[in-house]
Amino acid sequence: MIEVKHLTKKYGNHEAVSDLSFTIEDGQVYGFLGPNGAGKSTTMNIMTGCLAATDGQVTIDGYDIFEDSAKAKALIGYLPEQPPLYMDSTPAEYLDFVARAKGIPAKELKAEVERVMEQTQITEMRDRLIKHLSKGYKQRVGIAQALLGNPKLIILDEPTVGLDPRQIIEIRELIASLGKEHTVVLSSHILSEVQAVCDNIMIISHGKMVAMGTAENLEDIFAGRTTVTLTADAGAEETEAILSVLPEDCGIDVKALETEGAPKCDAVITSSAEDPDAICRQVFFAFAKAGRALLKLGVERASLEDVFIELTGDQAQEAPAEAPDVSAEAQPSETEVDK
């Protein structure tokens, strides 16, 4: 549905997005994952036609976002990081205004506004001023405006930023439900959020795509080495001798434990073997042959967090700022009322 080819965006000498290419298929939830300043918001602003690209192409269902902008934008619902809300309006008034701006026929306006309020569960807040809503409800109103017109593609930029844990869970559940009827693209720098709701993950760093796939696939591809940990009822020197039967490419780190009575030790074995169970079996039978007990034996695989740090570690440390979000003006802070 979405095809991005060689997308580049420069601000003077700074390249916020660098030769970025990817394809997004219909009917799935995609997550843009990357450190702050990785280029996520810039990419989304370009994908939605809110920001011009220095170079490259974005097509939505075959429509170029720049050359066929009206047809392409009609397929998109967009929630920027700063929701473009009118604080002195009620949700019903605001959504009616946005629906008219989107060109929804007058005879369908009321039903469409009611539909998106019900879908985002804000009907009970329809007549309260937006400035008096909690942060979570404001996000729901922002998502509701993105849903007006029932677009095929929903793009959400950091949809849970600034929310409390309860609100985050509620917004995640809403996004998961949207993924059943729409193609959804969301950006985040929070690993747990992306893992919770996304079918596919795109990891971006320094404006470049560094990995793309499901969480499980990324963990398998970038795990690199398997780590086997154990605690043995044996001394460090004896443990090293027992483990000498392992393949030469295994890294072995043995540490003696301070215990009273019989010596014990911990050991960490790293291996590039594709089957970690094979290493565990070798370890088990080697200790059994030596007449020594294994008190603990386990395997640690790389997590998505490990993959993320491996691919973006330097930028996560630097965390440079992205270009400002041009899709919405900043709103003054308001005193919020909890739900």
Side-chain angles (χ1 to χ4, degrees), residues 78 219 252:
Y78 181 36
E219 289 170 0
I252 300 173

Side-chain angles (χ1 to χ4, degrees), residues 33 125 151 240 248 252 259 327:
L33 179 62
M125 299 293 173
E240 289 179 352
E248 293 183 359
I252 300 173
T259 59
S327 58

Side-chain angles (χ1 to χ4, degrees), residues 84-102 104 109-110 112-114 116-117 122-133 141-142 144-145 148:
L85 305 178
Y86 296 146
M87 296 298 173
D88 290 324
S89 298
T90 66
E93 292 169 341
Y94 169 71
L95 293 171
D96 180 82
F97 169 77
V98 175
R100 293 176 187 273
K102 286 189 173 185
I104 294 173
L109 277 173
K110 184 177 180 181
E112 181 64 4
V113 169
E114 293 295 333
V116 298
M117 285 198 296
I122 60 172
T123 303
E124 63 186 57
M125 299 293 173
R126 59 177 299 136
D127 297 321
R128 182 180 293 188
L129 291 179
I130 292 174
K131 66 183 178 183
H132 293 151
L133 299 180
V141 174
Q145 64 80 27
L148 286 167

Side-chain angles (χ1 to χ4, degrees), residues 107-224:
K107 63 181 181 180
E108 300 175 11
L109 277 173
K110 184 177 180 181
E112 181 64 4
V113 169
E114 293 295 333
R115 182 187 70 83
V116 298
M117 285 198 296
E118 183 177 347
Q119 189 172 4
T120 55
Q121 299 179 9
I122 60 172
T123 303
E124 63 186 57
M125 299 293 173
R126 59 177 299 136
D127 297 321
R128 182 180 293 188
L129 291 179
I130 292 174
K131 66 183 178 183
H132 293 151
L133 299 180
S134 69
K135 176 76 172 178
Y137 269 117
K138 287 176 182 174
Q139 287 293 85
R140 287 177 180 271
V141 174
I143 294 174
Q145 64 80 27
L147 294 174
L148 286 167
N150 199 30
K152 293 182 65 176
L153 172 65
I154 307 296
I155 297 181
L156 310 172
D157 192 2
E158 299 279 3
T160 62
V161 66
L163 302 184
D164 64 35
R166 179 185 62 183
Q167 294 167 337
I168 289 174
I169 292 172
E170 291 173 347
I171 294 298
R172 285 178 182 174
E173 291 175 348
L174 175 57
I175 293 170
S177 69
L178 293 177
K180 298 176 182 178
E181 301 178 4
H182 305 267
T183 300
V184 180
V185 179
L186 66 91
S187 73
S188 181
H189 60 277
I190 303 172
L191 291 164
S192 58
E193 178 171 299
V194 172
Q195 283 183 293
V197 299
C198 296
D199 302 308
N200 290 278
I201 298 171
M202 299 177 286
I203 301 180
I204 186 171
S205 180
H206 293 293
K208 297 178 180 291
M209 185 74 69
V210 293
M212 183 172 180
T214 66
E216 294 79 9
N217 287 344
L218 291 176
E219 289 170 0
D220 289 342
I221 293 171
F222 290 96

